[in-house]
Amino acid sequence: MLNKIKIWHFIVSVIGLIIILRFGYIIDLLTVYFLFFQTLFAGKENVNSFITFPFIDNFISLCLIFLLPIVIIVSTGAKKKLSSQLNFSSIFIILLLVSFVFAPIITKQHPDFQKNISVTKLLPPFSSSNYILLNQSNKDESVRDNKLKDLIDSKIPKSYNDKIIFIDSSSFNSTFQYYQSGILSVIDINKLETENDKPFIGTKLFVLGTDEFGRDVFTRIVYGCRISIIVGMGAVFVSFFLGIILAFIASQIGGLLRIIINRITDLFLAFPSIFLVVLILALFGSNILSVIIVLGFSGWMSLYKIASSEMISLKQKEYFLTAEQIGLKKLRLLIREVLPVIIVPVIVNLIFQLSNVILAESALSYLGLGTGSEYSSWGSMIESGQEYITQSWWLIFIPGITLIITLLSINEAGRKFSQKINPTIR
């Protein structure tokens, strides 16, 4: 049955499932952006202060969740490129990419959201917690924000929400009483959101549990895949640029310069790059850009070896000699004559390097030298969970197994691609 399902079938099905499961939230977002653009074009007020990264992130995800399936279904070329048979590695890679693009819609929550830690911390998978909502509609007009800002604040996820209160249990007589870790609190019912003249009590499900700060592990896993993909793709691009440029220079100029570049390459290959990466990040600080640059700079050597040997053999080809004789510039010579010929082995190398970079980023985050505390990373989740390993196994197991399956899936995809372009490889 699985062999009959194409990749594009699975992509469209997953996006359709997200739309069905998050239909109410998608409608809320459509309402937010409709009112935003209505206010913007009317010119009634300055709306620039409402444009934040979460606001833009949700808008991009909202647009793509409708455009992407339409493009895949309508475009014959897209369906042809995505017509390969589905397998486990492709399923997991698609789920990662879908999580990367539609993370705000999938989770509906900020990855750093935490509230009432005494109630929500270290909850096991599939746990739930009750919550009540404060009624803020009775504020004075001088205190209340405008309608658009109130709508954005209520629908776009934030790291903190002063309207929600998580509780263990509650009772209602003339006043509303609730418990948090055995501590009794009393609140006037007029200050609460009500339903059928009774205080509204909702239930929040934590599919993969919570961490030591009460943050949803599922949300942090989904957003953590963004960090892995961004760092991985960014570092791979840096390695590609360095490896190709140095290989082209060495093959074209040759002589002493080529010998020097080869010896430098051998030196980097002989020395464990992780020590250099840790040293540089420890000295100059760590953030997402520095991690991308450092990991990219430490991974260009194998690509240089492959590209250099291929380019040296190309120099003897007649079409290459002809292109040089007609005065084709070096950059155009590289782009038009060299890259199309060597692109296949280069892509294979980059696929395997992607998994190495993701693993290196997780290792750096585990050591506290990753992308920083403002981003959720699988490595940092494993590091923070090791203190609670005896009582909260999911804090290490879930990000750990996600990382392992990601690496295996990418390596399997690279192996399949190698076999496809070279059937003699088994």
Side-chain angles (χ1 to χ4, degrees), residues 13-32:
S13 300
V14 171
I15 296 177
L17 182 62
I18 294 173
I19 293 175
I20 294 173
L21 295 177
R22 296 292 185 251
F23 184 77
Y25 184 64
I26 291 174
I27 296 300
D28 290 339
L29 289 180
L30 288 173
T31 304
V32 169

Side-chain angles (χ1 to χ4, degrees), residues 40-55:
L40 177 65
F41 292 129
K44 296 179 181 179
E45 57 182 295
N46 184 14
V47 296
N48 293 333
S49 60
F50 304 147
I51 303 177
T52 60
F53 177 77
F55 183 86

Side-chain angles (χ1 to χ4, degrees), residues 216-279:
D216 186 22
V217 173
F218 173 74
T219 301
R220 293 181 65 77
I221 287 289
V222 171
Y223 276 89
C225 92
R226 282 187 159 189
I227 298 300
S228 296
I229 292 176
I230 290 174
V231 172
M233 297 300 293
V236 163
F237 176 79
V238 173
S239 297
F240 171 78
F241 180 80
L242 288 175
I244 293 296
I245 294 298
L246 290 175
F248 188 71
I249 293 174
S251 62
Q252 287 298 301
I253 298 178
L256 180 61
L257 180 59
R258 180 187 168 194
I259 295 174
I260 293 174
I261 295 177
N262 285 337
R263 296 294 78 79
I264 293 175
T265 304
D266 294 335
L267 177 63
F268 274 97
L269 287 173
F271 183 79
S273 58
I274 189 65
F275 295 117
L276 177 63
V277 170
V278 170
L279 176 62

Side-chain angles (χ1 to χ4, degrees), residues 28-226:
D28 290 339
L29 289 180
L30 288 173
T31 304
V32 169
Y33 293 110
F34 175 79
L35 181 59
F36 171 80
F37 285 109
Q38 186 181 47
T39 307
L40 177 65
F41 292 129
K44 296 179 181 179
E45 57 182 295
N46 184 14
V47 296
N48 293 333
S49 60
F50 304 147
I51 303 177
T52 60
F53 177 77
F55 183 86
I56 297 173
D57 191 17
N58 277 267
F59 178 72
I60 294 175
S61 297
L62 183 64
C63 293
L64 290 178
I65 205 168
F66 294 110
L67 291 177
L68 192 57
I70 294 175
V71 170
I72 293 176
I73 294 173
V74 173
S75 174
T76 305
K79 287 191 289 187
K80 185 177 180 180
K81 293 178 181 178
L82 299 173
S83 61
S84 302
Q85 291 182 349
L86 203 64
N87 53 55
F88 178 79
S89 62
S90 59
I91 289 175
F92 196 79
I93 291 174
I94 289 170
L95 293 177
L96 286 177
L97 294 176
V98 168
S99 299
F100 175 84
V101 178
F102 305 118
I105 296 177
I106 292 174
T107 65
K108 300 194 306 179
Q109 188 168 303
H110 194 281
D112 290 327
F113 175 78
Q114 51 183 294
K115 186 73 184 291
N116 306 121
I117 299 177
S118 61
V119 177
T120 58
K121 70 176 182 178
L122 300 179
L123 296 178
F126 299 103
S127 296
S128 60
S129 179
N130 294 332
Y131 64 88
I132 56 177
L133 297 175
L134 296 177
N135 184 1
Q136 298 179 337
S137 60
N138 56 356
K139 289 183 178 180
D140 296 335
E141 289 297 325
S142 59
V143 178
R144 292 184 58 191
D145 294 317
N146 59 61
K147 180 180 179 181
L148 176 58
K149 187 176 188 308
D150 290 342
L151 188 60
I152 292 176
D153 289 341
S154 64
K155 302 303 180 184
I156 304 298
K158 298 179 294 183
S159 60
Y160 183 81
N161 186 352
D162 57 1
K163 185 178 179 181
I164 189 171
I165 300 176
F166 287 98
I167 61 176
D168 288 322
S169 60
S170 64
S171 61
F172 171 62
N173 293 315
S174 58
T175 58
F176 185 81
Q177 302 175 343
Y178 62 91
Y179 288 89
Q180 293 175 319
S181 298
I183 300 176
L184 174 64
S185 299
V186 180
I187 190 170
D188 188 350
I189 189 175
N190 294 324
K191 296 182 180 180
L192 299 177
E193 295 280 356
T194 58
E195 188 177 65
N196 299 326
D197 296 328
K198 294 182 179 180
F200 170 79
I201 301 178
T203 302
K204 167 68 176 174
L205 175 65
F206 299 100
V207 179
L208 298 181
T210 61
D211 64 7
E212 70 275 20
F213 297 112
R215 299 174 297 190
D216 186 22
V217 173
F218 173 74
T219 301
R220 293 181 65 77
I221 287 289
V222 171
Y223 276 89
C225 92
R226 282 187 159 189

Side-chain angles (χ1 to χ4, degrees), residues 378-393:
W378 295 338
S380 61
M381 292 176 68
I382 295 173
E383 187 275 331
S384 61
Q386 67 181 352
E387 184 178 348
Y388 306 92
I389 188 171
T390 57
Q391 63 185 92
S392 305
W393 55 267

